[in-house]
Amino acid sequence: MKPIYKIALGVVASVVLASCHKYEALDFQVEKPATFAAREEIDAYDELKTYIDRTANPKFKLGAGVTLQDYLSKGVIYRLVNSNFDEITLGYAMKHGAIVQADGSLSVKNVETLLETADNAGITVFGHTLAWHANQNATYLKGLIAPTIIPSGGGPTWDLVTSADFETDNAANYQYNTNAVTAFTATGQGANGTGRALKITNTSVRTNDYDVQLFVKFSPAMIKDEKYILKMDVRSDAPASYGTQAHITPGNYKHWDFFGTISSTPTWSTYTKEITISTEMATSGTIAFNLGSTATTYYFDNITLRKYNALGGATTLEKTAEEKKTLVTNALEKWIKEIVTVSKAHVKAWDVVNEPMDDGRPAELKTGVGKTNLPADEFYWQDYMGKDYALKAFQWARQYGNATDIHFINDYNLEYNIDKCKGLIAYVKYLEDKGAKIDGIGTQMHIVATSDKAKIDQMFTLLAATGKLIKISELDMGFEGNIKTPLVNQQQYAAQAEMYKYVVKKYFELIPAAQRYGITIWAPQDSPATSSWRAGEPIGLWTEGFVRKPAYVGVAEGLKSK
């Protein structure tokens, strides 16, 4: 039944006739626009946490993911979270990378302020996270296990990278393009009348100076800010001037200027040029000499390329695997001890181990071994401490925290990859057989509106069978294909609301009351286009402008069902 509005319209007469006509109300029946009706229906809902049956679920916590600054600013997010939720989880601010400084010390003032602010508002804080491979001060951790450098005492050196004196026919580190006519001089015609030299003849003036080139190759490739010196003996039958280019490999051009412009005459001279590698030069492995501007014969001898070594003849000592294990173990214990000690007056539940299982091999742990170009914030504790890194993490969290703290292991895609869910459960059993006490399992649930409901049910059933507390730790929902907010239609928003309701309802149906820790909405608002997480996607219960969405109704209805 659609609501009907009555609208009274006053008939206003002219000033002249005002005394002759009295006011008459005209009664019209006007149907309320559908969009207005839907908005009123959404806005009529109470705050989310009012729909929780506290009698049946006395310990259940409805949580929200927030940033430290958004909450501490005490603006709209602060008020929205306090009104609708019981608990907050900080997305980054309590992680290793946010707190551990370059010297290993902890910067915790902001976290302490946050904990006190939340406590004063009656909001609990879920600790996130103690042992994870990402969002870490990996530079500090890698520095702990870096090789030990023992100085030689002799000061910096210029180490030889490559050289060519042309006394043999070995051309492994130089070559030419097809326009170059090459030969060697007779013995005794090299620089200073010694040995022989390389001859390259350019038979005519070319359209481009690089149409005739000599390439000198070297390895490894150059890195930005390194220093090099090129030294060589040169002459030419006619006076000439020629430039140098940076190439990655011969013919694979990188930058137009490398070791400057060389001038030569019929008399031998020594050319020396020192450079610092720029961004444009970096990754180069070849010097190209452009010989096409002058029709003459060029002579080259005693080419050397040297790199500056600030450590000189220092000795490098790699740490053993056992030494690395000890250092990394100590670092993990120090981190857990200090952050848990600082937080224990306020934080009573922790995500102790986060995302341990591998996606491709879901029965095994993640690893950084064999991966190239790891992100700067990644460091895998398990690669140095072994499978029992998580055992130690749980033991230290228990040792340094409160005796009654609730400890979780947490992972993602458990509703998508059922084998990963089973692998995590098996890992929990392994850890407990070794002596760990694990209270709960968190399932993140970063899903889409069309996620497989049968797999969601299967995941909840498997998790419930563990007897552990179960938490939906990071629930948010977008659309297949990462559809951005401006492109989503009302039917899709309705499907999103229905899926939110389904997930919440099934959590209460399939997880026994005694095992329900709670549900955390990871993104209360839609994600901004500038966000590092699901950028520009409509994943929240509110828009970026804090307007409730149909998804809000979905969560409310899911909570009401119990």
Side-chain angles (χ1 to χ4, degrees):
M1 186 74 171
K2 295 184 178 178
I4 302 296
Y5 282 157
K6 291 185 177 181
I7 301 177
L9 303 177
V11 179
V12 182
S14 67
V15 174
V16 176
L17 299 177
S19 60
C20 304
H21 294 270
K22 69 177 182 179
Y23 173 86
E24 294 181 4
L26 303 181
D27 193 10
F28 286 90
Q29 301 286 321
V30 180
E31 184 177 303
K32 183 187 300 185
T35 54
F36 291 176
R39 171 51 48 206
E40 284 194 342
E41 180 183 347
I42 294 173
D43 289 344
Y45 276 79
D46 290 329
E47 287 78 11
L48 288 175
K49 65 184 179 183
T50 64
Y51 294 108
I52 300 167
D53 183 348
R54 300 294 184 182
T55 302
N57 303 280
K59 296 183 179 181
F60 178 90
K61 293 180 184 294
L62 186 63
V66 298
T67 69
L68 180 143
Q69 193 55 49
D70 278 348
Y71 195 79
L72 286 184
S73 67
K74 293 190 175 181
V76 179
I77 282 288
Y78 173 82
R79 298 192 297 273
L80 180 148
V81 166
N82 292 349
S83 298
N84 287 275
F85 300 95
D86 306 308
E87 184 169 80
I88 58 174
T89 302
L90 298 179
Y92 178 69
M94 291 184 75
K95 291 175 179 173
H96 190 280
I99 292 177
V100 176
Q101 305 302 293
D103 62 355
S105 63
L106 271 60
S107 177
V108 295
K109 182 175 177 56
N110 286 342
V111 170
E112 289 176 316
T113 302
L114 180 284
L115 296 177
E116 292 173 4
T117 302
D119 197 35
N120 291 337
I123 300 293
T124 60
V125 177
F126 185 82
H128 178 74
T129 177
L130 296 180
W132 192 26
H133 68 278
N135 284 176
Q136 307 211 72
N137 187 338
T139 300
Y140 163 70
L141 294 172
K142 291 173 183 175
L144 294 177
I145 58 175
T148 301
I149 307 298
I150 303 175
S152 65
T157 57
W158 287 91
D159 299 339
L160 183 66
V161 175
T162 193
S163 65
D165 62 9
F166 309 109
E167 298 306 317
T168 71
D169 293 339
N170 182 0
N173 65 341
Y174 66 92
Q175 65 186 70
Y176 348 84
N177 66 8
T178 55
N179 290 329
V181 179
T182 63
F184 295 104
T185 67
T187 300
Q189 294 181 1
N192 301 315
T194 303
R196 65 181 192 176
L198 174 67
K199 291 171 50 176
I200 297 181
T201 300
N202 174 32
T203 57
S204 62
V205 176
R206 308 291 175 161
T207 304
N208 304 296
D209 63 348
Y210 52 79
D211 288 339
V212 178
Q213 289 180 308
L214 164 66
F215 302 107
V216 174
K217 301 178 288 185
F218 55 89
S219 180
M222 293 175 168
I223 298 173
K224 186 178 181 298
D225 296 328
E226 290 179 333
K227 294 181 179 180
Y228 286 82
I229 286 180
L230 173 67
K231 185 176 181 180
M232 56 197 300
D233 294 319
V234 297
R235 79 175 187 88
S236 53
D237 287 345
S241 180
Y242 48 96
T244 57
Q245 294 177 342
H247 285 215
I248 296 174
T249 54
N252 187 2
Y253 171 82
K254 185 71 166 58
H255 187 56
W256 64 273
D257 183 31
F258 205 6
F259 282 91
T261 300
I262 302 166
S263 295
S264 61
T265 68
T267 303
W268 282 104
S269 63
T270 300
Y271 179 79
T272 303
K273 180 70 173 180
E274 177 181 337
I275 65 168
T276 299
I277 301 306
S278 66
T279 301
E280 295 79 11
M281 299 172 184
T283 72
S284 297
T286 300
I287 307 168
F289 300 89
N290 298 336
L291 309 177
S293 293
T294 303
T296 188
T297 297
Y298 300 87
Y299 300 83
F300 301 90
D301 203 1
N302 302 318
I303 299 175
T304 61
L305 179 66
R306 296 181 181 273
K307 182 170 74 171
Y308 180 73
N309 180 357
L311 298 175
T315 302
T316 301
L317 296 179
E318 290 284 349
K319 292 180 174 63
T320 66
E322 194 60 34
E323 287 172 331
K324 291 180 180 179
K325 180 178 181 180
T326 299
L327 290 165
V328 171
T329 299
N330 291 342
L332 181 58
E333 180 179 10
K334 179 179 183 292
W335 153 243
I336 292 176
K337 175 184 177 180
E338 294 184 7
I339 187 61
V340 169
T341 300
V342 164
S343 309
K344 65 191 296 184
H346 303 281
V347 178
K348 310 300 182 182
W350 277 97
D351 176 5
V352 177
V353 174
N354 194 41
E355 300 180 5
M357 309 313 294
D358 188 78
D359 293 310
R361 299 169 298 172
E364 300 179 25
L365 300 184
K366 280 188 173 71
T367 178
V369 175
K371 295 180 180 178
T372 57
N373 301 319
L374 283 177
D377 67 340
E378 288 194 6
F379 184 90
Y380 292 78
W381 303 100
Q382 53 266 47
D383 287 347
Y384 304 94
M385 296 174 62
K387 191 174 182 179
D388 288 353
Y389 87 101
L391 170 65
K392 292 294 186 183
F394 278 106
Q395 290 174 336
W396 290 323
R398 190 72 60 190
Q399 177 182 346
Y400 297 115
N402 305 294
T404 56
D405 283 351
I406 301 171
H407 291 165
F408 281 84
I409 193 168
N410 184 51
D411 219 323
Y412 64 94
N413 274 0
L414 304 186
E415 78 292 330
Y416 172 77
N417 185 346
I418 296 301
D419 285 339
K420 188 175 184 181
C421 182
K422 293 176 180 178
L424 181 64
I425 292 170
Y427 188 46
V428 169
K429 183 179 185 306
Y430 167 83
L431 294 172
E432 292 198 312
D433 287 346
K434 300 275 284 190
K437 182 179 184 297
I438 301 173
D439 301 299
I441 299 175
T443 174
Q444 293 182 17
M445 297 200 73
H446 301 295
I447 61 175
V448 294
T450 52
S451 288
D452 190 327
K453 292 180 177 179
K455 286 187 175 181
I456 292 173
D457 293 356
Q458 187 178 2
M459 174 196 68
F460 282 145
T461 301
L462 287 169
L463 294 177
T466 67
K468 302 291 182 188
L469 290 172
I470 304 302
K471 178 187 181 187
I472 301 179
S473 57
E474 301 179 17
L475 178 62
D476 61 16
M477 187 186 307
F479 297 92
E480 197 74 44
N482 304 321
I483 300 176
K484 305 304 180 184
T485 300
L487 302 178
V488 178
N489 59 45
Q490 291 304 313
Q491 290 75 22
Q492 289 170 315
Y493 278 129
Q496 184 184 51
E498 192 278 331
M499 181 60 83
Y500 265 117
K501 177 180 178 180
Y502 184 87
V503 170
V504 175
K505 186 171 183 290
K506 281 297 179 180
Y507 173 86
F508 284 101
E509 285 183 6
L510 297 175
I511 305 299
Q515 293 176 246
R516 297 172 193 155
Y517 177 88
I519 299 172
T520 290
I521 304 299
W522 195 238
Q525 289 176 276
D526 288 344
S527 183
T530 57
S531 174
S532 61
W533 177 250
R534 302 185 86 161
E537 295 185 44
I539 59 178
L541 310 187
W542 286 264
T543 68
E544 290 184 63
F546 301 101
V547 176
R548 289 179 181 177
K549 294 168 50 186
Y552 184 99
V553 175
V555 173
E557 289 295 324
L559 293 170
K560 281 172 62 176
S561 67
K562 297 304 291 183

